[in-house]
Amino acid sequence: GQNIDQPTEMTATEGAIVQINCTYQTSGFNGLFWYQQHAGEAPTFLSYNVLDGLEEKGRFSSFLSRSKGYSYLLLKELQMKDSASYLCAVREVAGKGNLIFGKGTKLSVKP
Amino acid sequence: NAGVTQTPKFRILKIGQSMTLQCTQDMNHNYMYWYRQDPGMGLKLIYYSVGAGITDKGEVPNGYNVSRSTTEDFPLRLELAAPSQTSVYFCASSLPDRVGDSSPLHFGNGTRLTVT
């Protein structure tokens, strides 16, 4: 079956670093995605990992371990505008395109 | 470049009514999708299409229908609205994915539907 787990909520302080974990069990694997979704808005693409290791994009980094079915999103130098939900998603099969989403982690950044 | 455009933004339906949620994209993406998002739940795939004339069911297709007559448009039809269909509906599009390619989904701004 398909299962993508991530914490429901997290709180962090402005300027700090936060790590959002995601574990997955899917029948296939063709990449893991992280999306950001502000309240009342559409999800927007943050990062993609298909090989093991770390991908860095400015203040955001994403890590993947395929053998462990595990990923994390690392946010550095947190800003108030980073308060949002962060969605972990897996593409099971190449050629269909669709993603399976976790329930999302709501991050609150406090001053 | 408008990206993915959804209409309407909001709608209230009575039980048993029907409606069509419109979705159009101007990025020449072959692949299009319909997801619904309920509070505390992840996005669930309703239907998807890999090209004009081709559609396929996702995880939660019951109560919905789609068509794909052009590359740009992918409308979602609700025939007999039920309270369980109260949700936020997102349309998305992407390039065809190949092994190792990201081909991320680009989402529209959503349609907030209430069925009472």
Side-chain angles (χ1 to χ4, degrees):
Chain A
Q2 310 162 339
N3 196 37
I4 300 177
D5 284 322
Q6 42 181 140
T8 304
E9 293 187 39
M10 297 182 72
T11 302
T13 304
E14 192 176 15
I17 299 172
V18 71
Q19 177 175 313
I20 303 174
N21 295 325
C22 171
T23 58
Y24 64 90
Q25 292 173 309
T26 53
S27 57
F29 182 82
N30 190 40
L32 187 140
F33 296 74
W34 285 96
Y35 278 78
Q36 181 189 59
Q37 185 177 25
H38 285 101
E41 297 184 9
T44 55
F45 171 65
L46 284 179
S47 70
Y48 168 75
N49 294 71
V50 68
L51 299 176
D52 290 351
L54 190 69
E55 294 284 341
E56 296 187 80
K57 225 189 244 188
R59 293 190 298 115
F60 292 5
S61 304
S62 56
F63 171 83
L64 175 67
S65 168
R66 288 171 296 169
S67 62
K68 295 181 179 177
Y70 168 70
S71 173
Y72 68 72
L73 180 70
L74 194 71
L75 291 75
K76 302 175 189 174
E77 300 168 15
L78 280 172
Q79 302 175 8
M80 299 300 290
K81 67 178 182 179
D82 297 329
S83 292
S85 288
Y86 291 86
L87 314 180
C88 175
V90 170
R91 176 172 285 145
E92 280 192 314
V93 178
K96 288 189 177 180
N98 58 287
L99 304 182
I100 302 165
F101 284 85
K103 295 181 180 179
T105 299
K106 184 177 179 182
L107 175 66
S108 299
V109 180
K110 300 194 182 304
Chain B
N1 193 340
V4 180
T5 301
Q6 292 184 236
T7 56
K9 288 186 168 58
F10 303 94
R11 183 74 186 267
I12 299 174
L13 281 182
K14 294 190 188 308
I15 294 171
Q17 286 185 321
S18 61
M19 77 165 293
T20 300
L21 282 67
Q22 302 291 345
C23 176
T24 188
Q25 53 91 11
D26 61 1
M27 297 177 281
N28 202 30
H29 285 170
N30 280 3
Y31 288 9
M32 295 188 75
Y33 318 83
W34 275 104
Y35 284 87
R36 60 177 287 174
Q37 186 176 40
D38 300 309
M41 303 297 292
L43 288 152
K44 299 289 186 187
L45 183 67
I46 305 171
Y47 271 94
Y48 67 100
S49 168
V50 298
I54 306 168
T55 62
D56 212 342
K57 294 178 181 178
E59 185 181 355
V60 289
N62 291 346
Y64 307 94
N65 278 301
V66 292
S67 59
R68 184 91 183 274
S69 56
T70 66
T71 299
E72 295 78 19
D73 300 307
F74 191 40
L76 178 72
R77 178 86 177 157
L78 283 71
E79 288 296 347
L80 290 170
S84 61
Q85 293 178 305
T86 294
S87 188
V88 181
Y89 292 84
F90 287 102
C91 178
S93 72
S94 74
L95 291 169
D97 66 288
R98 297 176 182 82
V99 173
D101 283 353
S102 63
S103 301
L105 274 61
H106 299 264
F107 286 85
N109 286 328
T111 294
R112 283 146 186 82
L113 176 67
T114 302
V115 182
T116 61

